[in-house]
Amino acid sequence: MKKILLVIMVCSLASAAMAQAEVSGEKHSVATNSFWANWFVQANVAGTSFWSSQEQQSVKFGKLFKDYRTNLGFSLALGKWFTPGLGLRTKFNGIWGRSIISEDKALNASKYWTLQEQVLFNLSNMLMGYNEQRTWNFIPYIGGGLGRNMSYNTYAMGFSVGLLNTIRLSRKVAFNIDINYGSYESAFDGFGAGGDNKLSLKGRDRAIAAEVGFTYRLGNSSWKASTDIDAMQALSQSEIDALNAQLEDLMSENDRLNQELENAQQPAPAPQEPVTVTQLVTAPVSVFFNLNKAVIASQRDLQSVAELVAVARQQGAKILVTGYADSQTGSADRNRILSEQRAEAVVVEIVKMGFPREHIETVAAGGVDTLSPVTYNRRATVEIKAQ
């Protein structure tokens, strides 16, 4: 029995040392799950050493593992994690123990049980962040409850502290190594108050146990990553910037139309020789992108592109797509490549609308600062090119 307890304790320390080097996996914040999620059950074999409030002399550490004060038992537990770092479990422990009245293990034999409610603190998740793939979890706990010595028909209140180590075997199953200490009223071993034992609280019965077994997670055992509020705000701001830039384009087009109307009211100039001039007609339509991305930020932008494509098809005209990046972020080479990628991303969408690829021209304008604020320049423009 002494060897079994020592081996279990050594395994616990070894697993802790191994886990200190673990850094793999991504950690993230999580959202609270429903009440029915993150339940678990545990079953362990327990090796326990007992000592009594009646013992008049201090118990040396080596004598804690003598066979007249140790016995094997088992524990069962049902628990729930309310957050990745905080949980509760109801734990039953028993049933073969020792009441230390002699150095005869047969004479000391007794049967008992304890039932406690325990608060679990997963320090691995608290200190390093939740990681579903983490191999080892370091979980101190504290609890209290009722104990009964069935051999002597006595009851006693008690408390416990312990350290639960769980080693992940699969998504549902973990291996347990649980080291714990319990302190009980002096009637726990079937006898009244006694001596002064320096190993624990005065006048109480005590037990130290090492347990090994398994945890099985019930139902949904993982935690969902919480919503990235910063990312949502950034995306919302990008859409606002896109709308503002489209409004600026419409205002520019309105100014152009007003200018054309004003010019139309002027006297017609004298006839001149006809000259063929290639010009861009209709206002450009903008499609916007997020920082350092070539994925269209909002599909709403493509509605205006579809209307422009319909006009170009009716006129038999070509389409010009110009990609841009903002000049304040990224190198010149990176911005040139990014503007080209943005133009091509829009071309792909136009081709999906049924417009022939050979009638589309592209220009990579690189990083510019023509619009203010500079975020407006993260775009591609689409316009009709006529001869």
Side-chain angles (χ1 to χ4, degrees):
M1 183 63 196
K2 175 180 178 180
K3 293 182 178 179
I4 293 175
L5 289 170
L6 287 174
V7 168
I8 291 173
M9 290 183 178
V10 169
C11 289
S12 177
L13 293 173
S15 67
M18 173 188 69
Q20 293 298 326
E22 180 190 1
V23 295
S24 62
E26 180 182 358
K27 63 182 182 180
H28 56 266
S29 58
V30 299
T32 303
N33 283 350
S34 71
F35 175 80
W36 302 110
N38 304 104
W39 286 84
F40 62 88
V41 292
Q42 294 175 327
N44 297 306
V45 175
T48 308
S49 175
F50 302 86
W51 64 96
S52 168
S53 60
Q54 284 76 41
E55 296 184 75
Q56 298 298 317
Q57 295 180 348
S58 299
V59 179
K60 295 181 179 180
F61 181 79
K63 289 188 175 182
L64 289 178
F65 305 105
K66 295 295 185 179
D67 59 1
Y68 66 84
R69 67 169 70 248
T70 60
N71 215 340
L72 284 175
F74 68 91
S75 68
L76 300 171
L78 172 67
K80 171 179 170 56
W81 289 104
F82 292 92
T83 73
L86 182 64
L88 290 176
R89 72 174 177 181
T90 302
K91 184 179 180 183
F92 171 90
N93 186 72
I95 59 172
W96 302 283
R98 304 285 187 196
S99 295
I100 311 303
I101 56 178
S102 72
E103 293 189 0
D104 183 341
K105 67 177 182 179
L107 185 61
N108 289 352
S110 64
K111 292 184 178 180
Y112 77 101
W113 56 258
T114 64
L115 188 65
Q116 292 195 354
E117 192 69 19
Q118 297 173 335
V119 184
L120 310 177
F121 305 92
N122 189 324
L123 291 186
S124 298
N125 285 336
M126 286 181 172
L127 298 178
M128 295 180 287
Y130 169 67
N131 178 5
E132 185 178 354
Q133 302 299 319
R134 181 175 288 117
T135 301
W136 173 78
N137 283 282
F138 180 83
I139 308 170
Y141 63 87
I142 186 171
L146 179 67
R148 182 190 179 210
N149 190 305
M150 295 182 287
S151 298
Y152 295 96
N153 194 29
T154 57
Y155 291 87
M157 301 298 294
F159 70 88
S160 64
V161 293
L163 175 62
L164 171 64
N165 300 272
T166 63
I167 300 172
R168 185 179 187 273
L169 301 179
S170 69
R171 188 174 65 87
K172 288 287 189 179
V173 180
F175 178 68
N176 305 327
I177 302 176
D178 188 336
I179 308 297
N180 56 77
Y181 168 85
S183 178
Y184 304 90
E185 293 176 321
S186 59
F188 178 67
D189 64 353
F191 302 92
D196 182 5
N197 189 310
K198 295 181 181 180
L199 276 179
S200 76
L201 300 178
K202 186 176 181 179
R204 296 178 68 86
D205 295 327
R206 284 82 58 189
I208 184 170
E211 307 177 22
V212 293
F214 297 93
T215 295
Y216 181 79
R217 300 178 180 91
L218 302 173
N220 178 19
S221 58
S222 61
W223 297 85
K224 296 180 180 179
S226 61
T227 304
D228 190 339
I229 301 300
D230 292 338
M232 291 185 63
Q233 290 177 341
L235 179 58
S236 298
Q237 186 60 48
S238 296
E239 292 184 350
I240 292 173
D241 290 347
L243 290 173
N244 287 336
Q246 288 179 336
L247 178 61
E248 185 173 314
D249 287 343
L250 291 175
M251 293 176 65
S252 298
E253 174 63 6
N254 184 65
D255 291 341
R256 187 185 68 82
L257 293 175
N258 286 335
Q259 185 63 43
E260 288 185 356
L261 180 61
E262 182 178 341
N263 293 338
Q265 295 173 351
Q266 299 296 325
Q272 297 180 355
E273 289 291 329
V275 178
T276 301
V277 178
T278 298
Q279 62 179 353
L280 300 177
V281 298
T282 77
V285 173
S286 293
V287 178
F288 291 89
F289 298 81
N290 289 324
L291 176 64
N292 202 32
K293 300 292 183 182
V295 178
I296 296 172
S298 174
Q299 294 297 308
R300 289 197 297 265
D301 293 350
L302 296 178
Q303 297 176 2
S304 299
V305 174
E307 295 173 0
L308 186 144
V309 168
V311 173
R313 187 182 293 110
Q314 291 175 357
Q315 295 181 358
K318 292 184 177 182
I319 289 178
L320 175 65
V321 180
T322 306
Y324 302 89
D326 74 83
S327 60
Q328 292 186 12
T329 56
S331 64
D333 288 342
R334 173 57 185 161
N335 286 336
R336 179 184 55 78
I337 294 172
L338 187 59
S339 64
E340 182 178 357
Q341 292 173 340
R342 287 172 174 173
E344 288 299 326
V346 175
V347 168
V348 169
E349 297 299 327
I350 294 174
V351 171
K352 289 180 182 179
M353 297 173 188
F355 197 83
R357 178 64 179 85
E358 59 271 18
H359 291 170
I360 306 174
E361 297 179 10
T362 60
V363 174
V368 299
D369 59 358
T370 54
L371 298 180
S372 179
V374 73
T375 55
Y376 290 178
N377 296 292
R378 301 165 189 165
R379 64 171 180 164
T381 58
V382 184
E383 50 195 324
I384 295 176
K385 184 175 183 180
Q387 298 293 332

